[in-house]
Every structure is written in structure tokens, then in C-alpha cells.
Amino acid sequence: MKLKAMLSVLFFTSIIIMGCENKTPEAAPVKKAQPVVKNINDNAVMAPDFELISTDGKKLKLSDFKGKVVIINFWATWCPPCRKEIPDFVQLQKEYNSNLQILGVSLDTGTKNDVIPFMKEYKMNYPVLYGTAGVVRDYGDIQSIPTTFVIDQNGNIVNNFVGFHEKSVFKAEIEKLLKKS
């Protein structure tokens, strides 16, 4: 019994001593999310085409919007940063009406019934499509939302963003693409 007690004390003491040692270097400060692709059309990659069902039951394809700048925003109703971005997308769609098409791809699963009421509450003026595992895979196995892709008029991915970004970031992307055309 004494041996067990001594071993237990020794074990916990060694854990405490090892746990208090600072062998790891100090963590670097967290940087603001940066675009993955920085220069438009440098090594542009064709955006994977898809056909998804919209909230109004229509089948929409990405290729239906060739000739326009397209912003594909992967989001969900329960995601706070997504909720924060959506009013900016509504404003951008209104501002660039004929030159831009925003497509919301809802990744709601258990909350799928919340999508249409959410759209009404946020006055979403662009199509919302129900995402599938296939489209998530095709766009790089999306791990975080919001994730947003900027597609040029020829269907190439020219930039993507993970996490919340200000309206000005997307506006600058749209302006660059419209000047090129």
C-alpha cells in the first residue's frame, strides 16, 4: 500500500513539474486572414461547375452566370460571422446589379428549415442554393464558414476568403474584375 501511495505521489509530482516547464516557443500573434490568391488571373483555376437546388426549387448552375463576376458565399444560418457578412452582400448585389451575381450556398443541415425565414429576415436579394457534400468537396473540402470565392467573368476562381471580411474587400475585388473587362 505504501508503494502505491509513493508511486502515485511521484507520478503526479512528475506531471506537475513537466506541465510547468515552458519548452515551447512563444506563439506568434494571430494575423488577419489573407486572400489565398493575391493576383487576379495569375495561375487562375476554372471554378468547378455545379448544379444545385435553390430555395425556390429551381436548379441553378454556376455556368449560367458566365460573363458576370460571381461571388459564391458558403454560409449557414447559425454562423455569427456569416450573419454579419450577409447585409454587405445584399448591398453589393444591389449596387452592381447587372455585373455581379452573388450566390449563397447554405450548408445548413439540421437547420435547413430556417433558411427561407432567414432570407426574408435579412432581405436577401440573391439566390440561395442548398449545398451538397459534392460541392463542398469540389471547392476544397470547406472546413470553415463563411468561405467565399470570387469568380471572374470567364469562370475562373481569382480569389477566396475564409472567415468574415469587410464589404470593402469584396468591393475591391469586383472593381478590379470590372476594370479588366
Side-chain angles (χ1 to χ4, degrees):
M1 188 71 158
K2 282 186 177 182
L3 182 60
K4 257 187 177 176
M6 278 186 23
L7 286 174
S8 293
V9 169
L10 184 61
F11 174 74
F12 287 113
T13 304
S14 64
I15 288 178
I16 291 171
I17 291 170
M18 286 189 293
C20 293
E21 288 182 88
N22 187 7
K23 294 181 181 178
T24 58
E26 191 172 310
V30 177
K31 295 180 181 176
K32 189 174 179 181
Q34 296 295 315
V36 174
V37 180
K38 293 184 179 153
N39 297 315
I40 291 177
N41 289 331
D42 287 356
N43 303 316
V45 174
M46 183 65 78
D49 200 9
F50 54 75
E51 182 177 86
L52 295 173
I53 304 295
S54 67
T55 54
D56 60 2
K58 295 179 184 171
K59 291 181 181 180
L60 293 179
K61 294 180 180 181
L62 174 60
S63 56
D64 294 340
F65 303 102
K66 196 165 185 171
K68 289 186 172 191
V69 174
V70 178
I71 293 179
I72 304 171
N73 177 244
F74 290 87
W75 67 284
T77 58
W78 48 263
C79 164
C82 303
R83 290 173 170 260
K84 190 173 179 182
E85 275 186 339
I86 286 174
D88 291 341
F89 289 134
V90 168
Q91 289 176 358
L92 288 168
Q93 184 63 65
K94 197 178 295 182
E95 185 176 341
Y96 292 98
N97 187 18
S98 62
N99 296 312
L100 172 69
Q101 184 59 63
I102 296 176
L103 298 173
V105 179
S106 169
L107 298 182
D108 287 273
T109 52
T111 55
K112 195 171 180 178
N113 292 335
D114 295 340
V115 175
I116 293 173
F118 181 92
M119 290 174 62
K120 289 177 182 174
E121 179 184 340
Y122 279 77
K123 297 180 174 69
M124 294 172 76
N125 57 354
Y126 53 88
V128 173
L129 313 169
Y130 294 113
T132 63
V135 79
V136 167
R137 181 194 62 243
D138 291 347
Y139 280 81
D141 288 320
I142 293 167
Q143 301 292 314
S144 300
I145 54 174
T147 293
T148 306
F149 292 85
V150 179
I151 314 296
D152 71 11
Q153 296 91 325
N154 297 313
N156 297 306
I157 297 173
V158 295
N159 219 329
N160 75 334
F161 301 90
V162 177
F164 171 82
H165 285 77
E166 297 288 337
K167 176 183 170 185
S168 59
V169 171
F170 298 110
K171 188 174 176 104
E173 293 291 320
I174 295 164
E175 289 291 333
K176 280 188 252 181
L177 290 169
L178 292 177
K179 284 180 185 173
K180 286 192 86 143
S181 63

